[in-house]
Every structure is written in structure tokens, then in C-alpha cells.
Amino acid sequence: MFKKFAIALSGFVAVVLLLGAVKVAQIKEMSAQDHSHPPAAVATVEAQAVQWHPTLSAIGTLAPVEGVTISADADGTIVRIAADSGTAVKAGDLLVELDTSVEVAQLKAAQARANLAAINLTRAKELWSQQATSKSEYDAAEATSRQAQADVAALEAQIAKKHVRAPFDGRVGIRLVNLGQYISKGRALLPLQKLDPIYANFNVPQRQLPDLAIGQTVRVSIDAFPQPFEGKINAINSEVDAATRNVSVQATLANPNEQLRAGMFARVEVQLPQSQNLVVVPATAISYASYGNSVFVVEKVKGQDGKEFLGVRQQFVQLGATRGDLIAVTGIKAGDQIVSTGVFKLRNGMPVQVNNIAQPTHDAHPKPANT
């Protein structure tokens, strides 16, 4: 029995030792493997050196060069609307006509009296030249003639007031009255605006006043149109608003197709004359953090074993002006390969694999689809 027990125990020990040796070999093999993180797939872009003209940004409103709401100068009933809503008119064109039948009849009577007064004046002048009448009779005839002519002129002016005409070239808005409607003096009839050119009015802080000058170029962006509109500064207000400490500025924009309308919301950028040499990268390349913003520079990095591999170096930068998808930075140089996508998963010294098949757009003047 003892011999059998010894043989069984020896076999058990041999199996345990064999399994232990196999496990030790496996552990050694696993320990010998590389436990470093696999390279992260990233897209890169080259930091570019550009020359940007600094700009002043402001919020503005479009306003017509000339714009009024035409109102009535006299009471009366509307008998004709010559310019309907949306019509383009020239200066002097008839817009609205009021009833003048009474004034026309009165004018005919006044003209008849004026003709008679002119005949009487001629006779009085002949008699006075022959010393056949007194000077007072001649003076009375002359005064009567002048008074009759003044009555004719007054009635003609009254009739002209009832023919409402355009004071300047422009486009009629939506009319506010209807045919046959009786209106009183001062009643609004219709808006009239001159839309080409058009003004862009905006305000800038007083500290930026030295940077402004007549003739500077402005770029005006309107939400309704994908492309910006260019214009020139034509006026700078002579005073600063004491409440806001802002100064009002006015720019003129060409508007031949009358796309722009008064009252539109506008984003205005004033291009300053001096230029700056900057290094720019896409905004997606910035790793934002409370302790400082940084980018990851792709370069050859030495590992702990002394071998070189393609990795990233975290470089802290200072952010500057932005323009579209690009942002100016200081702390890197032009030509550096910067990670443009995937920065959130990187850390300093991490190996990377560059894959530039899919790149995000980075344009100074992006034109995204209007969604």
C-alpha cells in the first residue's frame, strides 16, 4: 500500500511541476511582449504662414440712401393710384391722384377773372397814357390783375398738391391706401425708398476710432445671401454717444439688383490698412483646456529604449484672431505638421499613424449649406 501511495504522490507532484513550468513559460512569454499602446490614427495638416489684414467686427443695419413715407398734402378722395406696390419710379412720376374736380372748376373761374383783369389793366394803361383817367384808377386795375393772377396760382398749387409725385428715383413699397378712399391731410400713402446704393450703419467702440478712415473697405455679411458684399466707409459721426461710448459709422454698398433691403441685419467687418504675418492652423487642431490651449506636433520621437518612432509632442500655444475655420497661433512655426483631427485622444509622446484620406475643411471664408 505504501508503495502504491508513493507512486501516486510522485505522479501528482510531477504533474504539478509540469503545469507550473508551462505557466511560468507562458508568463515569461507574455512579459516579453510589447505592452505599449498601438499607434493612434490621426489626420495632419501643415501650419501655414499667411498675411492677414486685421479687421474690426461690428453689428449693423441696412438703411436706404433716400427713403420716405409719402403722405398727403391735402384732403380728398383717391381717384387714381398710378404706382402700385413694388413699382420702380423716377423722380416726378405720378404716384397718387386725389379728386380735383372742384378745384379745376374754381381754377377756370379764376382764370376768367384774371383774363378780364388783364384786359381792364390794358385799357387803364392806355387811358392813363392819354391822361384820360386818374392814377388811382390805374393802380386799382393793376392791383386787381395781380390779385387775379395770384388766385390762379393758388388754385394751381392746390391742384398740384392733389397730384402726389415721387421726390426721387426709387421703388414703391406696399401701398397703405385704396382707390376711392377718402384721406385727410398728412395721411401716409405709401413708402418710397432708393435702394441702389444702400447704406450699412454700424457702431464701433471709441477706442477703435483712430483705426477708421473714410474710404476703408468693409465686408458686409447678410444671412439671406451666401456671399458677402463689399463697400466703402463714407461717413464717421462727428460725436461719440455719451451713453454707450460708441461712434456711428456709415458705409455705402452697391446694390444694382436691389437684393439688399433696408432694415436687414448685417455683420460688418472693416478691413484695416496694416497687415500681419501670422501662423494659422485649423480650429479643430486646438486642444482646449483650462490650464492652457495646445496643439500636437507630429515628429520623430525617441522611446525609452532609444528607438525612434512617429509620435506627437504637445505644444502649448497662444490663440489669436480667427477667420472662418482658421485660427492664428503663436508657439509653433510654419511648416510644422499639426494633428488636425483626433486631438482629444492624444497625450505627449504617444505614437501615431497618419491617415489623411479624410480631412476636415479649413477655409478662411467657409460657405456651409444653409440648413
Side-chain angles (χ1 to χ4, degrees), residues 337-370:
Q337 291 294 322
I338 308 299
V339 176
S340 60
T341 58
V343 295
F344 62 90
K345 59 184 177 182
L346 300 180
R347 66 177 186 273
N348 192 35
M350 186 173 178
V352 294
Q353 180 181 6
V354 178
N355 183 359
N356 290 332
I357 296 177
Q359 277 276 21
T361 59
H362 41 273
D363 188 2
H365 303 287
K367 297 179 180 179
N370 187 5

Side-chain angles (χ1 to χ4, degrees), residues 200-206 209-210 212-214 233-242 244-251:
N201 296 326
F202 57 97
N203 297 320
V204 298
Q206 64 176 14
L209 185 58
L212 299 176
I214 303 297
I233 292 178
N234 66 284
I236 302 173
N237 202 2
S238 57
E239 63 177 354
V240 176
D241 191 326
T244 62
R245 307 303 177 187
N246 290 338
V247 60
S248 298
V249 185
Q250 188 175 79

Side-chain angles (χ1 to χ4, degrees), residues 128-182:
W128 168 248
S129 63
Q130 297 172 6
Q131 298 296 317
T133 186
S134 64
K135 183 67 166 58
S136 61
E137 290 180 353
Y138 171 72
D139 292 341
E142 185 178 15
T144 301
S145 177
R146 289 181 178 178
Q147 184 179 5
Q149 292 174 359
D151 291 341
V152 171
L155 287 169
E156 288 176 343
Q158 183 67 20
I159 292 174
K161 285 185 177 182
K162 293 194 173 185
H163 289 77
V164 182
R165 299 184 181 275
F168 50 82
D169 297 352
R171 186 169 295 278
V172 175
I174 298 176
R175 57 184 173 88
L176 308 175
V177 292
N178 298 307
L179 191 65
Q181 182 177 351
Y182 179 84

Side-chain angles (χ1 to χ4, degrees), residues 48-342:
Q48 298 178 350
V50 298
Q51 189 177 57
W52 278 359
H53 286 273
T55 59
L56 299 180
S57 298
I59 299 301
T61 303
L62 301 188
V65 172
E66 291 181 294
V68 295
T69 298
I70 305 295
S71 58
D73 284 343
D75 302 336
T77 302
I78 298 176
V79 296
R80 183 185 175 192
I81 298 179
D84 211 345
S85 302
T87 305
V89 297
K90 298 291 185 181
D93 286 354
L94 180 66
L95 302 178
V96 177
E97 181 181 351
L98 304 181
D99 181 25
T100 58
S101 56
V102 175
E103 288 81 1
V104 169
Q106 292 174 347
L107 177 61
K108 291 180 179 179
Q111 288 173 339
R113 290 193 297 270
N115 291 336
L116 178 60
I119 293 171
N120 291 336
L121 177 59
T122 301
R123 290 173 180 171
K125 186 175 182 181
E126 291 176 355
L127 293 174
W128 168 248
S129 63
Q130 297 172 6
Q131 298 296 317
T133 186
S134 64
K135 183 67 166 58
S136 61
E137 290 180 353
Y138 171 72
D139 292 341
E142 185 178 15
T144 301
S145 177
R146 289 181 178 178
Q147 184 179 5
Q149 292 174 359
D151 291 341
V152 171
L155 287 169
E156 288 176 343
Q158 183 67 20
I159 292 174
K161 285 185 177 182
K162 293 194 173 185
H163 289 77
V164 182
R165 299 184 181 275
F168 50 82
D169 297 352
R171 186 169 295 278
V172 175
I174 298 176
R175 57 184 173 88
L176 308 175
V177 292
N178 298 307
L179 191 65
Q181 182 177 351
Y182 179 84
I183 59 172
S184 57
K185 183 178 180 180
R187 171 66 185 271
L189 302 178
L190 44 81
L192 177 65
Q193 295 184 340
K194 184 176 182 180
L195 300 176
D196 182 29
I198 196 168
Y199 287 146
N201 296 326
F202 57 97
N203 297 320
V204 298
Q206 64 176 14
R207 61 183 174 82
Q208 295 176 330
L209 185 58
D211 298 326
L212 299 176
I214 303 297
Q216 279 181 324
T217 300
V218 300
R219 291 170 59 92
V220 178
S221 299
I222 308 294
D223 293 339
F225 304 102
Q227 77 284 359
F229 298 84
E230 288 198 355
K232 300 287 185 181
I233 292 178
N234 66 284
I236 302 173
N237 202 2
S238 57
E239 63 177 354
V240 176
D241 191 326
T244 62
R245 307 303 177 187
N246 290 338
V247 60
S248 298
V249 185
Q250 188 175 79
T252 303
L253 310 176
N255 189 27
N257 298 325
E258 296 186 355
Q259 293 177 295
L260 304 177
R261 297 299 174 97
M264 278 185 165
F265 173 83
R267 294 181 179 87
V268 183
E269 287 187 354
V270 182
Q271 184 173 307
L272 302 182
Q274 64 271 23
S275 61
Q276 295 177 333
N277 295 319
L278 303 172
V279 176
V280 298
V281 297
T284 56
I286 306 299
S287 176
Y288 298 93
S290 58
Y291 53 83
N293 303 315
S294 60
V295 298
F296 287 92
V297 182
V298 178
E299 59 186 11
K300 291 291 184 180
V301 179
K302 277 191 176 182
Q304 296 179 353
D305 56 359
K307 294 182 179 180
E308 286 189 346
F309 62 91
L310 188 65
V312 292
R313 172 175 55 86
Q314 187 176 20
Q315 177 65 48
F316 288 92
V317 294
Q318 290 184 343
L319 306 185
T322 60
R323 191 164 295 182
D325 300 327
L326 300 178
I327 183 168
V329 296
T330 55
I332 59 175
K333 61 182 182 296
D336 286 346
Q337 291 294 322
I338 308 299
V339 176
S340 60
T341 58

